[in-house]
Amino acid sequence: MGYTVPAQTRIGHVHLKVSDLERSLAFYHELLGFEITQRYGSQAVFISAGGYHHHIGLNTWHSKGAGPAPVNAPGLYHTAILYPTRKDLALILKRLLEAKYPLTGASDHGVSEALYLDDPDGNGVELYWDKPKERWPLDTNGNLVMVSERLDLEGLLREVE
């Protein structure tokens, strides 16, 4: 191979095509709490956590008024949003439940705990936190063993009691 991406490399942002900018902002800004950093006319908005220039771009350049992308076609499976602590994940779960926003799944992956849902355009969204690396499951050879087990939502919600 000859080349390995630097260990400090991160995915900086995702840019999503949406059909209705205001409807998407109701989800990403009002429900999930991302801050608006810039509007690009009536066609695009950039949002972030913590003042970064943008973690998510939303645009209607090629998709205004369009239906969702087909499920059985190439494209983005989901956007994963990493929360800093388990309590932060519990807080957003509580917020989603209070808003009666439907989850499509919830899993304990051994390395992380994750909530799954779809945004208003059917784009998959994963909200998760990483467990401390020393708790990640390893096999007898020291290889990572990720799993997909049921996430104890009640236990997660106890983080905010």
Side-chain angles (χ1 to χ4, degrees):
M1 180 163 103
Y3 176 78
T4 301
V5 67
Q8 297 79 18
T9 301
R10 302 286 181 260
I11 295 175
H13 67 271
V14 63
H15 211 119
L16 299 173
K17 295 186 289 184
V18 300
S19 63
D20 182 317
L21 205 53
E22 294 309 315
R23 185 179 69 178
S24 291
L25 281 173
F27 176 77
Y28 287 101
H29 173 59
E30 295 170 24
L31 181 61
L32 295 187
F34 282 90
E35 302 163 311
I36 296 173
T37 58
Q38 183 180 359
R39 284 187 178 265
Y40 191 81
S42 63
Q43 299 178 330
V45 175
F46 300 96
I47 59 176
S48 81
Y52 187 65
H53 54 80
H54 72 290
H55 288 106
I56 301 173
L58 305 167
N59 77 68
T60 58
W61 295 324
H62 304 286
S63 54
K64 187 171 185 158
V71 173
N72 295 322
L76 183 69
Y77 188 73
H78 67 235
T79 301
I81 299 169
L82 176 62
Y83 285 79
T85 68
R86 188 171 197 255
K87 184 175 182 177
D88 292 312
L89 184 65
L91 286 168
I92 196 61
L93 172 59
K94 183 174 188 276
R95 187 166 172 81
L96 291 166
L97 293 173
E98 288 171 353
K100 295 181 174 41
Y101 201 92
L103 295 179
T104 59
S107 295
D108 182 336
H109 293 298
V111 298
S112 64
E113 293 179 323
L115 307 172
Y116 296 93
L117 57 155
D118 289 333
D119 79 1
D121 286 294
N123 295 309
V125 177
E126 176 184 356
L127 308 175
Y128 75 107
W129 83 285
D130 277 337
K131 295 178 182 181
K133 194 170 183 179
E134 60 273 7
R135 289 182 37 207
W136 291 2
L138 304 174
D139 68 15
T140 56
N141 294 321
N143 299 310
L144 190 61
V145 181
M146 291 180 54
V147 296
S148 286
E149 297 175 350
R150 186 185 76 76
L151 178 59
D152 176 9
L153 294 177
E154 294 79 21
L156 180 58
L157 286 170
R158 282 195 290 278
E159 291 283 328
V160 294
E161 291 176 352

